[in-house]
Amino acid sequence: MSELVIPKPVKHKFFTPGMVIVTLLALNGLYFLAKRFLFGMGAVTNLNNFYPWGLWIGVDVAAGVALAAGGFVTAAMGHIFHLPNMKPVIRPALLTAMLGYTFVGIGVMVDIGRWYYIWHPMIYWNGTSPLFEVGICVMTYLTVLYIEFFPIVTERFRGKVNLPNILSIFNKPIEFLFKLFDNTLGKAMFIFIIAGVVLSTLHQSSLGTLMVIAGYKMHPLWLTPIMPLLFFISAICVGIPMVLFESLIASRSFGVKPEMEVLKNIAAYVPLLLGIYLGFKLGDMAIRKSFVYLFEFNKYSIAWLIEIIFGVIIPLVMLNFKKVLNSPLWLFIAATLVVAGVLINRINTFIIAYHPLYAKVAYVPSFGEISVTVGFICLMVILYRIIVMIFPVISLPVKNEEKY
Amino acid sequence: MSDNARRDFLKQVGITTAATVGLSSITAKADEYKSGEVQGVLVDIGVCVGCRNCERACQVAHNLPAGDPEEYHNRDVYKEFRRPSTHSLTVVNEFENPKNKLIPYDVKYQCMHCNHPACVSACIVGAFTKNRNGAVTWDTNKCIGCRYCMVACPFQIPTFEYDKAIQPKIMKCDFCFERTKEGLLPACVANCPVEALTYGNRDELLVLAKKRIARYPDKYIQKVFGEDEVGGTSWLYIAPVDFEKLMFPTLGDKPAPGVTEAIQHGIFSYFIPPLALFGWLGGVMWLSKRKKELTESETKKEEDK
């Protein structure tokens, strides 16, 4: 083997034309965010007493949690089940999860009316509330993700802490902290890895329980008591496609060859997972006889068909072909379809399927709401780029002799 | 809760078999609210004249802008269907009577004060309380403003102050909790000039409602709205027409939070399932690691040969 693949910081120019646009969109989002905090939810959103939840809960929170599932899926496959070929994708997926969940937390803070009370669930408990469970699990899991990421920080800086001038007095204490971490938490990392998987299982499914209580206000194409199960399975389904999606974008953006050997091996797991998901989705539909609503050809049936055909069936078929697995472009298309499918499912569940009593007009997100959501995604892209340029996250091919 | 209802729950939960654990605790709650302490109000739509005195009394009792009493005589407000909002916790709507245009149907809406409130079950911080007298009240010191109560409520009652940047409140009828505590009637009931509203023990009100329907069978339809809806509500209605025509939702007799609570209790029955999952994953991790190490050392040996 002449080439080795190991994670190391990416060396690349930060600003490209694409990144300038991303930065401008992020600033646009921050403008509307400031408006929301200064003048209240009503100044920015189209939410009202009939539609209390909109784009921010549907996309920033629900879809955000689902699309950050790559973290626990790759951790479970690589660290717990010890499946082969997982290693190079665990770190990028962990970083996405860490950033994703951080922004889920920020997204919740933006959406709740009293953002300064976000810590209340820690002291005021309500065990019957699935939202309480989601809140507690997300808070704990975010902590676990930071702990899981810390070894990457120590790997980069341990023995190299060299702060300038007056700050140099902190060099020794910081080195000591790194050493302490490696010797304590670092050794117990398996506990955190398992905890991360358990916590993810719990809150990924409980996100699906959220809309069950809305009862008849939910369209029957989506409302089912197995919503938690469907949410959990779809989160597992989207884990790997999200890794593929990012790896292929990152390698294109940084101008390196995508690791197709690794990517096609993990992509091969996806059709099976999608098949299981489709089985449960259609099986539930057959048992509850909700397929009758598909023939109404209204916005609900069309939204459902788009979600299932483009988000599940087409990628499920595509990923069975060698040609798709071997081509970066086709693989990217298939992965994007799965990611979009889960995104559409969360939008359908939280926004489209919810049809409250007495509402005269259906909710459509405002320009400000869309700006904030897009702004957050752009901020995540910026942070991802900064972090992979500082820390050893992305695995790059290195010549054997260069190995450090 | 009857055995039939239980079986229905099971059917709904379906594949989530573990969820059955939760049923016992829901049953316990149901009995609790059957005790005679629960108060209610019987709204007789056949009697209400739509004077909107109740609306004004509610504004005054809750320190909300009440305006000039004369404004309430203006019946133009009935041209548009209104809903309770952050600045009016109860509203009256008027519907045309096809049999007699001179006697329209006037209907008062407010929080129904469910026996098994979805808001109490759903609230992330438990800011809602179902009080022993039936009132469902909200605690401003706990609320984080997530608005899940509004998603959950089958009557679409809680409203939110979207225009406030700091301390926005969830606004809904509190059954005049502060007044009833001191032995006073709820403000709307005390100010109804035609006795369309009757306050009292919920069980006795049900008897009264059925008596009234029996005495005037031509006037009322054979239904007390709120007797069974979502497991029963403190507020009860009798009416001369179908409740769907008066913009009431069509609801079953199962408590709104039933399925959700069954799922939640199933996932979290004494933390056993999460801990079991933790243990199982730990076992898998250890075994698969050993297996991997064994195969690796074997291949190494082969290579060495």
Side-chain angles (χ1 to χ4, degrees), chain A residues 41-42 48-49 52-53 80 82 111 113-114 116-117 120 124 126 128-129 133 210 213 216-217 225 357-358, chain B residues 12 83 121-123 140-148 150-151 153-154 156 160 162 167-168 247 264 268 288:
Chain A
M41 299 284 295
N48 54 41
N49 289 330
W53 283 1
I80 294 179
H82 286 101
D111 192 79
R114 299 166 167 194
Y116 39 84
Y117 282 169
H120 269 189
Y124 300 120
N126 184 12
T128 56
S129 168
E133 188 208 323
L210 284 186
I213 202 166
Y216 73 98
K217 289 193 270 181
L357 264 182
Y358 311 120
Chain B
Q12 285 190 43
R83 290 291 301 159
S121 174
C123 180
T140 185
N141 294 321
K142 287 185 181 171
C143 178
I144 66 168
C146 73
R147 308 185 298 287
Y148 191 31
M150 298 162 71
V151 172
C153 177
Q156 205 68 43
F160 177 76
Y162 286 100
Q167 285 302 81
M247 296 293 278
Q264 279 303 100
F268 277 102
S288 65

